[in-house]
Amino acid sequence: MPAEQLSRAQARRIALVAQGFRDPRHTVPTIRTFSRTLARTGVLQVDSGNVLKRAHYMPLFSRMGPYDTAMLTRASEEKPRRIVEYWAHVAAYMPVELWPYMRHRMEGYRERGHVWTQEKASVRLVDSLMAEIRDEGAKTSRDLDDGLPRQKVDWGWNWSETKRALEYLFISGQLAVARRNAAFERVYDLPERVIPPAILDQPDPTAHETRVELIRRAARSHGVATVRCLRDYYRLQLDRGEGGRQPTQRAVDELVEEGELVPASIEGWGRPAYLHRDAALPRKVGARALLSPFDPLVWERERTEQIFDFHYRIEIYVPEAKRQFGYYVLPFLLGDQIVGRVDLKADRKAGVLLAKAAHAEPGAPPETASELAAELRDLARWIGLGSIAVHDRGDLAAALGVEVTRPDGR
């Protein structure tokens, strides 16, 4: 089968459509809008950082515009449950129907443990925690243990033995996450009290069936992708027997044989790619969006660089003096190009959205500052902040500062 020849611009537009950036923003997004958007992304990465807005909320805003975040709460906590948390990429919300396709991963963790849980938890502790949750209902680690020690070390927290055991039970599928509480702590419960019976009772797919289904979903969300992109979307490398790329390639070959994937070649990218048969290729994409560092459009950094010619690294863990662009930097998508980046922080106490730095990409169009200002106004209103302040760092800062202060908002 001859490969489809795609320019970088074509690949970019295909990727944007697949991720939902051509879908019209509704004045008032509904649960149908939410479902459509989640169908595009497939997963919403969860991260505890709250510098601006928690990670799982932002991709929905980037695609739908200002929306009621209670929709995500209802989808993840209330019947009929639409999404559930698991390690589908890293920690992420995924469609609840994917639960059976994570069982192979769960079994792998059940057998070998996980580096964050210090291998497998003790049988005695596991049995005790399971019994308490079974008898008394959903619990946080603080409910079951005081959580000590909680001394901050380097990038994260020391975990108590109880917390480690609960995480082992969660990642191995013996517990599920019923919800997150106000402190953003996981509330653990038995899977049968979280996952709908019709899904929980499904037979286990084989490892190969799992791989094919996850590659199929990754291909829909990417539009066009290399094997590396497809393998990374649902982190197939985490699973047993996934050393190297061969298992992924076999799944891709099967989908090619079935006609769901079409071999493709992308200009300037030395690796073979695959186009989903339903991928759309419009002549133009008129997007305008701020992208979270954890947005699936940009989380695979090599792909971002190849398709968008945009080098992106999150600098949270870089010492301040060595940061090039800032602490929490969001790429700015305009049309079908990433035209700039802005370091944002929500000062909730003062009610101000802080743009601590703003940089334009080479070739950014003249309207970049005004369009970014408009997107910042939408973001500030959505978060509940009354004003925007632009610091003087970056080559886009001066123009952006002028635009955000225009009284007519234009």
Side-chain angles (χ1 to χ4, degrees):
M1 180 185 299
E4 289 279 341
Q5 302 295 315
L6 298 172
S7 68
R8 180 178 290 183
Q10 287 174 320
R12 190 164 58 240
R13 295 198 296 274
I14 290 169
L16 287 167
V17 172
Q19 279 287 314
F21 285 100
R22 190 180 60 164
D23 296 342
R25 287 187 175 183
H26 296 168
T27 304
V28 180
T30 65
I31 196 67
R32 291 182 65 184
T33 320
F34 170 89
S35 298
R36 179 192 68 182
T37 304
L38 183 64
R40 307 288 197 211
T41 66
V43 285
L44 298 172
Q45 184 171 337
V46 175
D47 186 79
S48 60
N50 200 20
V51 176
L52 180 65
K53 190 75 173 176
R54 295 203 191 276
H56 51 290
Y57 293 114
M58 279 300 299
L60 299 171
F61 170 80
S62 299
R63 292 153 178 79
M64 300 194 303
Y67 71 100
D68 182 0
T69 57
M71 284 194 291
L72 195 147
T73 304
R74 291 197 299 272
S76 62
E77 297 180 12
E78 299 177 8
K79 296 180 180 181
R81 188 185 297 267
R82 292 178 170 85
I83 59 176
V84 68
E85 187 176 342
Y86 187 65
W87 286 79
H89 178 70
V90 290
Y93 286 113
M94 66 180 187
V96 71
E97 66 266 19
L98 275 185
W99 187 265
Y101 292 96
M102 293 295 155
R103 287 190 183 129
H104 178 65
R105 184 168 300 176
M106 293 170 183
E107 284 299 318
Y109 284 126
R110 189 166 187 167
E111 291 175 6
R112 68 183 186 271
H114 186 274
V115 64
W116 283 12
T117 63
Q118 293 184 340
E119 305 305 325
K120 293 188 287 186
S122 73
V123 173
R124 182 178 178 183
L125 180 56
V126 162
D127 289 347
S128 172
L129 293 171
M130 290 293 291
E132 191 162 350
I133 290 172
R134 184 180 298 109
D135 295 342
E136 298 183 14
K139 302 282 187 180
T140 68
S141 62
R142 289 182 186 271
D143 294 329
L144 296 160
D145 184 311
D146 61 8
L148 295 174
R150 300 291 276 183
Q151 298 164 337
K152 209 165 189 179
V153 177
D154 296 328
W155 58 271
W157 297 90
N158 287 333
W159 281 353
S160 70
E161 288 305 306
T162 296
K163 174 63 174 174
R164 290 184 188 280
L166 288 167
E167 285 297 298
Y168 164 71
L169 290 167
F170 162 55
I171 203 167
S172 63
Q174 298 172 76
L175 290 176
V177 175
R179 61 186 182 278
R180 293 272 187 159
N181 66 11
F184 203 61
E185 296 170 313
R186 287 185 175 123
V187 181
Y188 306 90
D189 205 348
L190 302 179
E192 54 265 36
R193 297 201 288 243
V194 175
I195 309 300
I199 292 170
L200 194 65
D201 294 342
Q202 288 181 17
D204 292 356
T206 66
H208 180 69
E209 289 169 341
T210 292
R211 196 178 300 120
V212 169
E213 179 62 22
L214 295 180
I215 291 295
R216 173 183 288 116
R217 287 172 178 258
R220 288 174 184 158
S221 292
H222 271 320
V224 64
T226 67
V227 168
R228 173 173 171 162
C229 300
L230 295 171
R231 187 171 184 245
D232 180 72
Y233 205 84
Y234 288 97
R235 291 291 170 92
L236 290 175
Q237 60 268 37
L238 297 176
D239 296 336
R240 294 174 299 174
E242 295 296 327
R245 67 196 294 273
Q246 289 80 8
T248 304
Q249 186 66 61
R250 286 194 290 273
V252 168
D253 292 343
E254 182 173 316
L255 291 169
V256 169
E257 186 175 346
E258 293 173 357
E260 189 161 353
L261 296 183
V262 178
S265 175
I266 301 174
E267 172 193 13
W269 203 340
R271 298 177 178 174
Y274 298 88
L275 179 71
H276 192 273
R277 66 185 174 196
D278 297 330
L281 174 54
R283 298 179 65 181
K284 182 179 180 181
V285 174
R288 190 190 77 191
L290 287 159
L291 305 173
S292 159
F294 307 103
D295 193 293
L297 185 68
V298 294
W299 69 28
E300 216 294 315
R301 306 308 194 204
E302 180 188 274
R303 174 182 173 85
T304 303
E305 192 159 353
Q306 289 291 340
I307 293 181
F308 290 97
D309 194 22
F310 182 77
H311 180 80
Y312 184 43
R313 298 293 184 271
I314 190 167
E315 296 184 273
I316 288 173
Y317 308 116
V318 176
E320 184 173 2
K322 296 184 178 180
R323 290 178 195 140
Q324 184 177 3
F325 297 107
Y327 180 79
Y328 198 78
V329 175
L330 283 75
F332 179 50
L333 174 69
L334 188 62
D336 67 356
Q337 298 269 15
I338 295 176
V339 299
R341 58 188 99 199
V342 57
D343 182 19
L344 294 179
K345 176 180 174 63
D347 185 342
R348 295 174 177 85
K349 186 175 181 179
V352 179
L353 177 61
L354 301 175
K356 301 177 73 175
H359 295 83
E361 287 297 291
E367 65 271 21
T368 296
S370 61
E371 294 289 350
L372 177 55
E375 194 67 13
L376 289 175
R377 291 188 196 97
D378 285 349
L379 176 63
R381 283 193 293 267
W382 178 58
I383 296 177
L385 303 174
S387 62
I388 303 168
V390 180
H391 295 187
D392 62 359
R393 185 181 175 210
D395 59 358
L396 188 59
L400 181 61
V402 170
E403 292 294 337
V404 300
T405 58
R406 290 187 183 277
D408 60 358
R410 296 180 181 177

